[in-house]
């Protein structure tokens, strides 16, 4: 069974979503199914079929969350240090073409959110950065084409 690296906050978010889906969503969906079932003929009952579909999606997500939580390898980023990029690092990059500065934290897949500045360890940018040191230049193939970035800073938060 392959471990899934994640930060403490990422693990907490998964646990929180799991609790919500088990303790709030599951009972709400069961009530919706019961109410729809009370309307009679199930073969043409759109509310019933919609509630059953919602139940299926919720139970699938619960199973996915339980799997991720059971395989989680929590990495305490605050105990890491150094100038080499690895999981948990917050990296400041400068695009060599546009001089635009980007700040990314490298996190697990389930906690990645580009708008919040967190990219997955499996993303092309993160894979290009891993093992590189501050001051290095990396080439990354992105959907917009090949780009060059200089690693300006590596921090641990």
């Amino acid at each position: 069974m392959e471990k899934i690296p994640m930060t403490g906050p990422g693990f907490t978010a998964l646990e929180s979503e799991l609790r919500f889906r088990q303790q709030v969503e599951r009972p709400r969906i069961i009530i919706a199914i019961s109410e729809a079932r009370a309307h009679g003929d199930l073969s043409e009952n759109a509310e019933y079929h919609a509630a059953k579909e919602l139940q299926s999606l919720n139970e699938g997500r619960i199973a996915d969350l339980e799997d991720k939580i059971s395989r989680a390898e929590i990495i305490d980023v605050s105990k890491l240090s150094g100038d080499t990029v690895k999981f948990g690092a917050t990296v400041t990059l400068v695009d060599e073409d546009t001089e635009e500065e980007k700040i990314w934290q490298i996190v697990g897949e389930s906690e990645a959110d580009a708008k919040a500045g967190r990219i997955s360890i499996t993303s092309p940018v993160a894979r290009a950065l891993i093992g590189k040191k501050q001051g290095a230049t990396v080439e990354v193939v992105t959907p917009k084409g090949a780009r060059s970035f200089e690693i300006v800073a590596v921090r641990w938060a």
Side-chain angles (χ1 to χ4, degrees):
M1 196 171 357
E2 189 178 322
K3 290 288 186 186
I4 301 172
M6 64 182 67
T7 63
F11 183 77
T12 302
L14 288 182
E15 284 184 320
S16 181
E17 182 184 351
L18 178 62
R19 265 192 312 282
F20 173 77
R21 288 187 174 275
Q22 289 174 327
Q23 297 171 5
V24 177
E25 280 298 293
R26 185 182 274 162
R28 186 187 66 75
I29 293 168
I30 290 170
I31 290 168
I33 290 171
S34 296
E35 288 174 356
R37 189 177 275 144
H39 292 237
D41 183 14
L42 299 181
S43 65
E44 295 182 16
N45 188 331
E47 289 176 9
Y48 175 77
H49 292 290
K52 289 297 280 183
E53 177 71 18
L54 196 55
Q55 181 183 43
S56 175
L57 293 171
N58 191 57
E59 293 303 319
R61 182 63 179 155
I62 287 172
D64 183 46
L65 290 167
E66 288 173 337
D67 175 59
K68 286 178 180 174
I69 288 170
S70 71
R71 295 188 302 134
E73 179 181 347
I74 302 164
I75 298 171
D76 186 354
V77 177
S78 66
K79 294 183 179 172
L80 300 175
S81 62
D83 61 353
T84 302
V85 179
K86 54 189 168 201
F87 181 90
T90 299
V91 184
T92 303
L93 303 172
V94 173
D95 185 317
E96 293 191 334
D97 296 330
T98 65
E99 296 297 316
E100 182 182 356
E101 186 176 277
K102 297 261 187 201
I103 299 174
W104 299 111
Q105 181 182 21
I106 300 173
V107 297
E109 284 184 34
S110 60
E111 54 191 318
D113 179 359
K115 289 180 182 172
R118 295 186 306 266
I119 58 172
S120 168
I121 186 121
T122 59
S123 71
V125 174
R127 287 196 320 250
L129 293 172
I130 296 295
K132 303 294 189 294
K133 292 185 180 273
Q134 184 172 325
T137 300
V138 294
E139 277 281 320
V140 181
V141 178
T142 69
K144 295 179 180 177
R147 316 257 313 260
S148 287
F149 296 99
E150 180 185 350
I151 301 172
V152 177
V154 178
R155 291 179 300 139
W156 306 94

